């Protein structure tokens, strides 16, 4: 008998058919890979993720979200820069309070221990000066215990600086050089221009124009000091004597040449000039030069420059070189003896 459309095991149409065992389809490949990693106790690889940083306001384009696999590896290895995710319009550090400092109309100053009082407008008289910049409000100025603004500078000549800023007054002649140094420090251009047009600075400019013709002048001055010091120490003496040659003419001359030439300057060929080249047997030699200033002017410069360094020097002419050159030619360069007194 057949029920529900199925036949019994003993029916004629299904007697030889056996029931098939249940079967399962194999797991997907991904599941098999996970099982293998678990059996081998290995860590599952993490998926690679690329993070794209963009400045504020930039719109992301659909094709720019991902790149090729090679560029992805480089982006993962390289950490983003500290400013890559910051808006371009914002500074990297917090803004500093840039509010300018306010000053009273009357300023009390302490310049190296000397007190001054002046108006703020006086200190700001010329814009391109250090004082105008200091009291512009953009810079910090320390104060002393009494609240005065402190300037770490010798105040001996600061009064002359203020007098010029107030009414254009120039210092006395014996203070010009010192005030000129202070004006250089405070970068007061108008005062520097006025001082350089007065004595003794004007005379120093003219004097320096002459000394510029002798580029070795300062080096020779140092040699005079060093030689005199060594000789005094070796002899345990109070003073030392040096022989110094000072000559102005371009070539050495002799009395025999005077009738043949109308001036001290004459032309010789290169071969003849080499015959007259020599060094006088002296400690230091100055010359030649071409200028109106003569030998005595240079001697005055040497003595005065040594005096400025606190070195007492006396000089006198002791003769000429008189070295035989060729035939009847002798060197007639004057030789001076310098006496350097140390104590």
């Amino acid at each position: 008998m057949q029920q529900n459309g199925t036949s019994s095991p003993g029916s004629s149409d299904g007697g030889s058919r056996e029931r098939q065992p249940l079967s399962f389809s194999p797991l997907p490949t991904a599941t098999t890979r996970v099982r293998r990693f678990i059996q081998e106790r290995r860590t599952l690889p993490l998926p690679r993720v690329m993070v794209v940083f963009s400045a504020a306001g930039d719109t992301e384009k659909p094709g720019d979200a991902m790149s090729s696999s090679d560029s992805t590896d480089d982006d993962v290895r390289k950490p983003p820069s500290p400013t890559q995710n910051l808006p371009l319009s914002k500074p990297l550090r917090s803004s500093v309070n840039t509010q300018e400092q306010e000053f009273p109309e009357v300023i009390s100053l302490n310049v190296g221990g000397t007190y001054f009082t002046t108006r703020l407008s006086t200190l700001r008289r010329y814009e391109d000066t250090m004082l105008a910049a200091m009291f512009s409000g953009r810079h910090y100025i320390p104060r002393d215990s009494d609240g005065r603004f402190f300037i770490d500078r010798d105040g001996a000549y600061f009064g002359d600086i203020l007098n010029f800023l107030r009414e254009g007054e120039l210092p006395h002649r014996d203070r010009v050089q010192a005030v000129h140094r202070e004006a250089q420090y405070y970068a007061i251009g108008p005062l520097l221009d006025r001082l350089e047009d007065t004595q003794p600075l004007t005379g120093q400019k003219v004097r320096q124009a002459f000394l510029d013709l002798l580029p070795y002048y300062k080096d020779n001055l140092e040699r005079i000091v060093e030689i005199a010091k060594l000789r005094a120490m070796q002899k345990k003496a109070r003073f030392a004597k040096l022989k110094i040659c000072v000559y102005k003419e371009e070539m050495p001359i002799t009395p025999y040449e005077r009738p043949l030439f109308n001036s001290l300057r004459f032309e010789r060929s290169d071969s003849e000039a080499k015959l007259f080249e020599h060094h006088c047997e002296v400690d230091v030699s100055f010359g030649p030069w071409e200028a109106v200033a003569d030998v005595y002017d240079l001697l005055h410069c040497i003595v005065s420059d040594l005096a400025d360094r606190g070195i007492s020097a006396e000089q006198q002419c002791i003769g000429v070189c008189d070295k035989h050159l060729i035939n009847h030619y002798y060197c007639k360069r004057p030789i001076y003896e310098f006496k350097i007194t140390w104590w």
Side-chain angles (χ1 to χ4, degrees):
M1 183 176 178
Q2 189 176 4
Q3 295 179 356
N4 297 335
T6 61
S7 60
S8 61
S11 60
S12 58
D13 56 349
S16 61
R17 185 180 300 172
E18 297 180 358
R19 181 175 297 176
Q20 299 293 333
L22 296 176
S23 61
F24 299 90
S25 61
L27 292 175
T29 305
T31 308
T32 305
R33 188 180 302 172
V34 172
R35 184 181 301 170
R36 186 166 60 251
F37 272 93
I38 295 175
Q39 292 175 356
E40 295 176 1
R41 297 180 179 180
R42 294 169 58 184
T43 306
L44 292 176
L46 296 177
R48 293 180 178 179
V49 179
M50 182 183 68
V51 181
V52 179
F53 296 91
S54 61
D58 293 347
T59 58
E60 182 180 352
K61 298 180 181 180
D64 295 337
M66 297 295 290
S67 61
S68 62
S69 59
D70 294 339
S71 61
T72 302
D73 295 341
D74 297 337
D75 294 338
V76 172
R77 296 190 192 99
K78 297 179 181 179
S81 61
T83 60
Q84 194 171 358
N85 57 349
L86 294 177
L88 297 179
S89 59
K90 294 183 179 181
L92 298 181
R93 59 183 179 180
S94 59
S95 59
V96 183
N97 184 16
T98 58
Q99 184 178 2
E100 294 187 357
Q101 182 180 0
E102 295 183 358
F103 296 97
E105 182 60 28
V106 179
I107 302 295
S108 297
L109 299 172
N110 179 353
V111 184
T114 306
Y115 303 145
F116 298 93
T117 303
T118 186
R119 294 173 62 91
L120 179 63
S121 58
T122 301
L123 299 174
R124 295 178 177 178
R125 176 64 54 84
Y126 300 102
E127 296 181 356
D128 298 332
T129 64
M130 179 183 292
L131 292 174
M134 291 174 62
F135 291 90
S136 63
R138 300 188 302 268
H139 306 281
Y140 169 75
I141 306 176
R143 296 172 180 257
D144 61 8
S145 58
D146 295 329
R148 301 183 184 91
F149 294 101
F150 180 75
I151 299 177
D152 192 10
R153 189 73 177 175
D154 187 4
Y157 302 99
F158 191 77
D160 298 279
I161 299 293
L162 289 180
N163 289 336
F164 177 79
L165 295 177
R166 288 166 178 157
E167 51 189 13
E169 180 182 347
L170 295 179
H172 193 267
R173 177 174 177 174
D174 58 352
R175 300 171 64 88
V176 167
Q177 291 184 336
V179 176
H180 184 266
R181 289 193 297 269
E182 295 301 305
Q184 287 179 324
Y185 176 79
Y186 294 109
I188 306 177
L191 178 56
L192 290 173
D193 295 338
R194 294 281 302 277
L195 292 177
E196 291 175 357
D197 291 336
T198 59
Q199 285 287 70
L201 295 181
T202 301
Q204 290 182 355
K205 291 172 64 176
V206 177
R207 178 178 183 267
Q208 187 59 43
F210 162 60
L211 294 179
D212 288 341
L213 299 176
L214 309 172
Y216 50 83
Y217 176 79
K218 290 184 178 180
D219 294 336
N220 282 4
L221 205 65
E222 293 295 332
R223 288 186 59 191
I224 293 174
V225 175
E226 291 297 326
I227 294 174
K229 181 175 66 174
L230 291 176
R231 288 183 181 175
M233 293 179 65
Q234 290 174 355
K235 297 181 179 181
K236 308 299 187 293
R238 180 171 171 238
F239 59 86
K241 293 183 178 181
L242 292 79
K243 289 183 179 180
I244 299 178
C245 177
V246 181
Y247 65 100
K248 177 184 177 181
E249 68 273 10
E250 185 176 2
M251 296 291 291
I253 62 171
T254 69
Y256 304 99
E257 292 176 304
R258 290 184 182 274
L260 303 178
F261 302 94
N262 295 325
S263 65
L264 298 181
R265 293 186 177 87
F266 47 89
E267 300 294 336
R268 290 194 179 103
S269 63
D270 294 339
S271 60
E272 292 176 342
K274 292 181 179 180
L275 298 175
F276 292 88
E277 290 180 357
H278 77 289
H279 298 282
C280 301
E281 296 179 358
V282 294
D283 297 306
V284 182
S285 181
F286 293 85
W289 67 86
E290 294 184 4
V292 176
D294 57 14
V295 171
Y296 298 101
D297 296 324
L298 182 59
L299 291 173
H300 179 271
C301 291
I302 296 174
V303 174
S304 60
D305 286 342
L306 291 175
D308 290 341
R309 301 175 61 170
I311 301 174
S312 176
E314 300 175 3
Q315 56 84 19
Q316 64 175 350
C317 182
I318 59 176
V320 295
C321 177
D322 207 27
K323 181 178 181 180
H324 179 258
L325 302 178
I326 183 175
N327 296 333
H328 58 278
Y329 293 100
Y330 293 82
C331 176
K332 297 302 178 181
R333 295 171 180 173
I335 306 299
Y336 295 85
E337 182 183 71
F338 271 67
K339 181 181 178 181
I340 308 297
T341 304
W342 291 105
W343 52 277

